[in-house]
């Protein structure tokens, strides 16, 4: 162990290497500094990115999106659709095994999909069309629909929000409102629970029983060929520590480098800076629609008019080469990137914001804004949000905690007096936000919506029209109509979009273009 790594270990910033890791050749262990600590293990319960990354390590889905977000069979071997489009029959690949050695069966699939449909934006939309899920035999099952839906493979391969991973039937039987705490999947890695240290380290071991598909890897699709024996996530909340560790070769990948340190990292010998996602990410300010003031749409419009995207993006992501203003809920530059209806909110209008806030009935009540500096851009943007809203007369209580606490609190539906919240800043991948079907923030289905629980029947009707559109022209028209409604009711404030690069040692190759970073196909030389 180098002096640098030993010093960090003694300071408690990274753990000492385990005996298992010490026994492996250096080129068989990948050491990663992820953007956040792993607290929630269930990717069907939580939509946060670190949990999704974890889920894709140990679980699989029936279909998977390629680098262009097109679905391909993953766990599915073959499928067919009835002529009337009202039933889909699927057969699983042979030889699928859970990490405990038990075969993956259709019973596991049916139980997993039902739980996912109760949790996720995409799953909830599919549930509106579903008339039933039936087991045919150990490897085959049928999805019956009440009306045709052409997006079934796309939905079953979703890599955003709460993802439709296949769990054991006993785990999938868990109440959808409670997280699963076991970690038995069928994916290319196994979760090493014995070496998991919250706030310090997460470890995954190669699954020797996993059989990858024969197709070349493309995004999340194709063969998930593991070329390493072990992946270690070392939690490094301090960006300077992560930057120094990367330059010293103590970690191989820094998943989300701090933008202000990028110039230093990019110039370092033996380090490369790249992008792994084709679409930019989106930043957002999310209000709680259950309680005043943001249960009134006028307060949400006031929030939009009080905020300048440039202030947030500059604070969060530094140099303008990494970000751009964009009023589209569905990401500028994506196939659905309309800004229809968002034009009035492109620049702040503080006088109008104050009038709307007064009309909403707001009288100076405390507004709790939760955030964290564990993800530095989010913490900096939260400070901008607090200052922007104070300018129009909001009594903002900005509270900082670790990111795990912030995301746990997001699920609290109670008032602030009972540990609830009014606002938080977060980010989401372009792959998540680019479609009305997958955008978790524009689901306004009340109790079925993501944290913040917006409720608007007209927006949901228009979102359904996008799914039902018979052709691409009709789908684009429906998307524009939906976007105009969203601009009127502001389920969240779009803060613009940005590119998030990653940094790696020059001897690391094979990082895939995908909605989140994945660790198959990667090798060290």
């Amino acid at each position: 162990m180098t002096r640098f790594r030993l010093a960090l270990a003694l300071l408690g910033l990274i753990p000492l290497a385990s005996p298992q890791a010490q026994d492996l050749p250096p080129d068989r262990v990948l050491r990663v500094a992820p953007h956040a600590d792993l607290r929630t293990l269930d990717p069907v319960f939580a939509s946060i990115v670190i949990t999704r990354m974890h889920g894709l390590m140990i679980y699989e889905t029936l279909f998977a999106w390629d680098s262009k977000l097109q679905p391909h069979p993953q766990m599915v071997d073959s499928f067919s659709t009835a002529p009337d489009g009202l039933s889909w029959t699927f057969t699983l690949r042979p030889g699928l095994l859970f990490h405990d050695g038990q075969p993956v069966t259709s019973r596991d699939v049916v139980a997993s999909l039902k739980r996912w449909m109760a949790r996720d934006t995409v799953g909830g939309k599919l549930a509106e069309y579903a008339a039933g899920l039936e087991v045919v035999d150990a490897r085959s099952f049928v999805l019956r629909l009440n009306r045709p839906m052409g997006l079934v493979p796309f939905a079953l391969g979703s890599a955003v929000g709460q993802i439709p991973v296949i769990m054991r039937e006993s785990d999938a039987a868990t109440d959808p409102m409670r997280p699963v705490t076991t970690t038995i999947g069928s994916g290319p890695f196994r979760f090493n629970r014995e070496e998991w240290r919250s706030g310090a380290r997460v470890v995954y071991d190669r699954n020797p029983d996993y059989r990858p598909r024969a197709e070349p890897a493309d995004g999340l699709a194709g063969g998930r060929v593991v070329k390493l024996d072990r992946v270690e996530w070392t939690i490094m909340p301090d960006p300077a520590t992560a930057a120094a560790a990367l330059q010293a070769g103590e970690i191989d990948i820094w998943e989300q480098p701090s933008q202000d340190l990028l110039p230093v990292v990019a110039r370092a010998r033996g380090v490369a800076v790249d992008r792994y996602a084709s679409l930019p990410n989106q930043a957002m300010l999310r209000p709680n629609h259950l309680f005043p003031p943001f249960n009134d749409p006028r307060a949400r419009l006031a929030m939009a008019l009080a905020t300048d995207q440039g202030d947030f993006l500059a604070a969060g992501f530094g140099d303008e080469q990494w970000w751009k203003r964009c009023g589209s809920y569905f990401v500028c530059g994506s196939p659905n990137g309309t800004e229809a209806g968002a034009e009035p909110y492109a620049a702040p209008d503080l006088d109008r914001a104050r009038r709307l806030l007064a009309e909403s009935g707001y009288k100076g009540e405390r507004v709790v804004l939760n955030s964290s500096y564990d993800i530095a851009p989010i913490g900096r943007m939260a400070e901008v949000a607090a200052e922007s809203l104070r300018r129009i007369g909001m009594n903002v209580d900005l509270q900082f905690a670790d990111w795990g606490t912030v995301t746990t609190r997001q699920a609290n539906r109670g008032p602030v007096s009972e540990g609830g919240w009014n606002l938080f800043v977060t980010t989401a991948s372009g792959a998540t936000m680019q479609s009305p079907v997958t955008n978790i923030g524009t689901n306004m289905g009340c109790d079925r919506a993501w944290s913040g629980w917006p409720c608007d029947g007209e927006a949901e009707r228009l979102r359904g029209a996008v799914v039902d559109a018979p052709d691409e022209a009709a789908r684009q028209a429906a998307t524009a109509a939906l976007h105009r409604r969203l601009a009127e009711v502001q389920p969240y404030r779009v803060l613009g979009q940005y590119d998030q690069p990653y940094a790696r040692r020059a001897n690391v190759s094979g990082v895939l273009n995908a909605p989140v970073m994945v660790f198959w196909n990667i090798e060290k030389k």
Side-chain angles (χ1 to χ4, degrees), residues 62-63 76 78-92 105-111 113-114 117 126 129-146 152 156:
L62 297 172
F63 289 76
V76 164
S78 61
F79 65 100
S80 60
T81 310
D84 62 4
L86 295 180
S87 67
W88 294 66
T89 302
F90 304 89
T91 300
L92 297 173
T105 71
S106 297
R107 292 177 62 89
D108 301 305
V109 171
V110 168
L113 292 182
K114 287 181 177 178
M117 288 180 183
L126 181 58
Y129 290 74
L133 272 166
E134 303 167 11
V135 171
V136 176
D137 56 36
R139 287 179 50 212
S140 300
F141 64 98
V142 175
L143 170 63
R144 302 197 186 280
L145 305 177
N146 51 44
V152 170
L156 296 179

Side-chain angles (χ1 to χ4, degrees), residues 235-248:
I235 311 306
M236 295 182 173
D238 176 48
T241 301
L246 182 69
Q247 292 174 80

Side-chain angles (χ1 to χ4, degrees), residues 328-407:
S328 177
Y329 283 100
F330 305 128
V331 184
C332 294
S334 81
N336 303 299
T338 178
E339 296 184 85
E343 299 85 356
Y345 311 104
D349 185 339
L350 300 186
D351 289 338
R352 187 182 172 206
R354 293 184 185 103
R355 288 196 301 271
L356 285 166
L357 187 60
E359 291 170 9
S360 75
Y362 178 72
K363 293 181 172 59
E365 295 86 352
R366 183 169 66 112
V367 173
V368 172
L369 170 56
N370 293 323
S371 195
S372 173
Y373 268 110
D374 286 358
I375 305 175
I378 285 177
R380 293 195 293 263
M381 288 190 290
E383 290 193 348
V384 175
E387 182 59 31
S388 299
L389 295 175
R390 286 168 183 153
R391 289 187 301 178
I392 62 169
M394 276 195 188
N395 176 20
V396 180
D397 179 6
L398 178 56
Q399 300 180 4
F400 284 99
D402 63 88
W403 185 241
T405 299
V406 171
T407 57

Side-chain angles (χ1 to χ4, degrees), residues 181-194:
T181 56
T182 55
T183 51
I184 304 299
S186 63
F189 291 92
R190 293 176 176 175
F191 181 65
N192 189 326
R193 187 176 285 271
E194 290 184 359

Side-chain angles (χ1 to χ4, degrees), residues 10 84 114 125 165 301 372 381 401 455:
L10 292 175
D84 62 4
K114 287 181 177 178
K125 180 55 66 176
V165 300
L301 290 173
S372 173
M381 288 190 290
C455 192

Side-chain angles (χ1 to χ4, degrees), residues 140-182:
S140 300
F141 64 98
V142 175
L143 170 63
R144 302 197 186 280
L145 305 177
N146 51 44
R147 61 190 192 276
M149 181 188 186
L151 296 174
V152 170
F154 180 83
L156 296 179
S158 177
V160 299
Q162 288 105 327
I163 54 178
V165 300
I166 303 305
M167 299 178 170
R168 300 177 300 182
E169 182 182 17
S170 57
D171 297 328
T174 303
D175 181 345
M177 300 300 117
R178 293 176 49 235
V180 170
T181 56
T182 55

Side-chain angles (χ1 to χ4, degrees), residues 439-458:
N439 185 306
I440 57 175
T442 58
N443 174 357
M444 301 193 73
C446 309
D447 288 344
R448 293 186 293 102
W450 175 53
S451 293
W453 308 284
C455 192
D456 187 79
E458 178 62 9

